[in-house]
Amino acid sequence: MKQNIKKLMSFFNKCSLLVHFKRSQIKGSSFFRARIRAKFPASICISSSRIENTSLTVYGRENQVIFDNAYVAGSTISIEGNNNRVYLAEGVMFRDSTLLIRGEHLVVEIGAGTTFGGIRIVNAGRDNKIVIGSNCLFSDHIELWASDTHPIFNLEGELINPERSVTIGNNVWVGSKVIILKGVTIDNGSIIGMGSVVTKYVPSNVISAGYPSKTIKENVSWKLE
């Protein structure tokens, strides 16, 4: 184990690596001022990726982290709990962003070619998912919450604010300072206007804006040029 860690450290530039290597692979990747820590054995696979000025911490058991040819810079990724999964597909650019997972059986998946200029993603509780499709464009100062993070009960002791999954389709453009709340689905090809608060379903190929957001234009498309 110690020999394997020494070999890996020789490839890292100013990188602190404190990981229990259980079913883990770090290959073909470059690290600069990155800190990767796991308190318990975790499955960590970072393949053909570049990690810069980033902290990745994994506390808990049977957690899984997969970066497949991704670029992560200036970001914080923190997982606390058991049996959680984070997946960044090929070409994902996760910049100046924060990803927080707290709980069990939680998933965050980001599809190929999706880019972020600054987002906070929060998934907490149990058995909950955040799934973001391919070729999406997220601007900066964005909040995406799939949970309120703290339970609220009625006077009968019943939970009234359960976590709910968030699904974002392919080729979605999210403007600056947007807030996306739990239970939201945004379908393929839609645009979310700057400063909007998304609280309900957004159909495909529309512009949705406002507080809360609503459809203001239908049958649209956009290109990254």
Side-chain angles (χ1 to χ4, degrees), residues 3-4 40 72 75 78-81 83 94 108 131 140 144 154 158-160 179 190 207 214:
Q3 291 180 347
N4 290 337
F40 296 102
V72 182
S75 296
S78 177
I79 301 171
E80 292 186 13
N83 297 289
F94 196 74
V108 174
V131 178
D140 56 3
L144 195 166
N154 63 19
E158 298 169 329
L159 182 70
I160 62 173
I179 299 174
S190 286
I207 300 175
K214 62 181 180 180

Side-chain angles (χ1 to χ4, degrees), residues 30-34 49-55 67 70-77 88 92-99 116-119:
S30 60
F31 297 79
F32 180 76
R33 293 181 180 173
S49 298
R50 181 168 177 82
I51 315 298
E52 299 178 355
N53 300 304
T54 289
S55 172
F67 297 167
Y71 174 63
V72 182
S75 296
T76 299
I77 299 172
L88 305 187
V92 168
M93 300 181 69
F94 196 74
R95 297 168 293 187
D96 301 321
S97 296
T98 300
L99 170 56
F116 300 85
I119 190 172

Side-chain angles (χ1 to χ4, degrees), residues 137-143 173-180 190-198 207-214 216:
L137 175 62
F138 289 78
S139 185
D140 56 3
H141 299 96
I142 296 169
E143 301 272 345
W173 177 10
V174 180
S176 180
K177 299 180 181 178
V178 167
I179 299 174
I180 301 171
S190 286
I191 301 165
I192 309 299
M194 181 183 294
S196 298
V197 178
V198 187
I207 300 175
S208 182
Y211 185 95
S213 68
K214 62 181 180 180
I216 61 174

Side-chain angles (χ1 to χ4, degrees), residues 5 8-19 26 30-37 46 51-54:
I5 292 176
L8 286 166
M9 288 294 289
S10 67
F11 290 100
F12 302 149
N13 184 4
K14 298 181 180 179
C15 174
S16 176
L17 186 69
L18 301 174
V19 174
I26 298 180
S30 60
F31 297 79
F32 180 76
R33 293 181 180 173
R35 184 173 180 84
I36 303 174
R37 306 180 65 187
I46 302 176
I51 315 298
E52 299 178 355
N53 300 304
T54 289

